[in-house]
Amino acid sequence: MALDAPDVQDQVHPCRPTISCTADIVAPGRLEVEVGAQSSGPSASSHAVSFPFLLKQSFTHVLQLQVGSNGYTRLDSTPQARYLDNVFVGPKLHLTDQGELLPSLALTAQVSLPTFQAAGYERHDDVFVTAHASKDVGFLHADWNVGALLWGVDASPAAQAFTALALSPALPAPLGAAVEGYYFSGAPPFAPRDGGVRACASVTARSWLVVDAGGDAGFFPGTRAFTVFLGATFIPVAFRRSDEERTR
């Protein structure tokens, strides 16, 4: 198996920092990595800091395996807590490319599993299913997601529905930007109702490297009044290239 460094043929398809994720996936054989840091909460004196990550390995033009987590999380509230959040794993199926009228479509299914025992960390198994649609309309790119989260399947499950729509205008390279609205229904006792408006800016340093930063304001301040974040998406390695790609 040959390992190749990323080059201009490799194009990332970031799923963060927006809530909604693109329906497109990187080319077969590529490993795509997303890392970041964020702070959110009802107030500056009561907030959470986390370091999420997402690993995405494409095997074909249809199938991608995803593994991720909200990562190390620190709750600066009363009581305080420190833990590694659930790790989720599952496939993403890229169903169709966008056409003249129809959008690109994909479906993601993930199982979320608890990590290590820690004070203030509730251990339970969850299941997430998300439908993705992406489309270029004039100078705008749209990513729309609709999904369901089934919390606590190992105990007394609670269902949560969500939707998110991100719009990204075409800007002069290497700049990018997105504005997104999103909403999560409540699923007590696991997750409260949430929603907000998010804005971010990005720079495409290379076709295979994008850095970003931004924030959002929550619709429900008692749940979460604000979020600020920064991060990067990159392809560190190509495990496989087609013969056609190697002759370009």
Side-chain angles (χ1 to χ4, degrees):
M1 179 176 61
L3 300 181
D4 291 337
D7 60 26
V8 294
Q9 299 180 79
D10 300 320
Q11 176 74 45
V12 293
H13 294 287
C15 280
R16 53 157 315 281
T18 51
I19 304 297
S20 56
C21 181
T22 175
D24 299 316
I25 63 175
V26 295
R30 276 59 162 188
L31 172 65
E32 186 177 29
V33 178
E34 304 191 28
V35 293
Q38 68 177 27
S39 176
S40 63
S43 68
S45 60
S46 179
H47 66 280
V49 177
S50 60
F51 300 88
F53 65 87
L54 178 61
L55 309 178
K56 301 179 287 181
Q57 177 64 57
S58 291
F59 295 99
T60 70
H61 291 288
V62 175
L63 176 62
Q64 180 181 81
L65 179 65
Q66 300 189 349
V67 179
S69 170
N70 282 328
Y72 172 74
T73 301
R74 185 185 74 217
L75 300 181
D76 290 330
S77 59
T78 303
Q80 294 186 341
R82 307 285 188 272
Y83 56 86
L84 176 63
D85 206 358
N86 277 22
V87 171
F88 59 81
V89 58
K92 180 175 183 178
L93 302 178
H94 175 68
L95 305 177
T96 62
D97 293 328
Q98 69 168 314
E100 184 175 346
L101 297 177
L102 296 179
S104 176
L105 298 174
L107 183 67
T108 301
Q110 297 170 335
V111 176
S112 178
L113 303 173
T115 57
F116 309 106
Q117 292 279 4
Y121 172 52
E122 296 184 13
R123 294 169 54 86
H124 50 77
D125 303 330
D126 311 310
V127 175
F128 308 144
V129 178
T130 307
H132 314 265
S134 298
K135 186 75 170 72
D136 294 313
V137 182
F139 69 95
L140 281 178
H141 175 79
D143 293 311
W144 181 36
N145 288 183
V146 176
L149 297 81
L150 192 61
W151 299 92
V153 295
D154 54 330
S156 300
Q160 181 178 39
F162 79 93
T163 186
L165 174 63
L167 300 176
S168 306
L171 297 178
L175 302 179
V179 176
E180 177 185 51
Y182 61 94
Y183 175 76
F184 290 77
S185 66
F190 300 100
R193 183 175 58 165
D194 197 2
V197 175
R198 173 167 293 206
C200 63
S202 64
V203 175
T204 302
R206 297 285 189 274
S207 63
W208 49 269
L209 171 62
V210 175
V211 294
D212 54 68
D216 69 37
F219 292 149
F220 311 103
T223 299
R224 186 190 49 78
F226 73 94
T227 300
V228 292
F229 52 82
L230 55 86
T233 303
F234 58 96
I235 296 174
V237 64
F239 291 103
R240 173 171 56 87
R241 296 188 189 277
S242 67
D243 293 339
E244 180 182 355
E245 290 172 325
R246 292 188 179 281
T247 57
R248 287 177 184 174

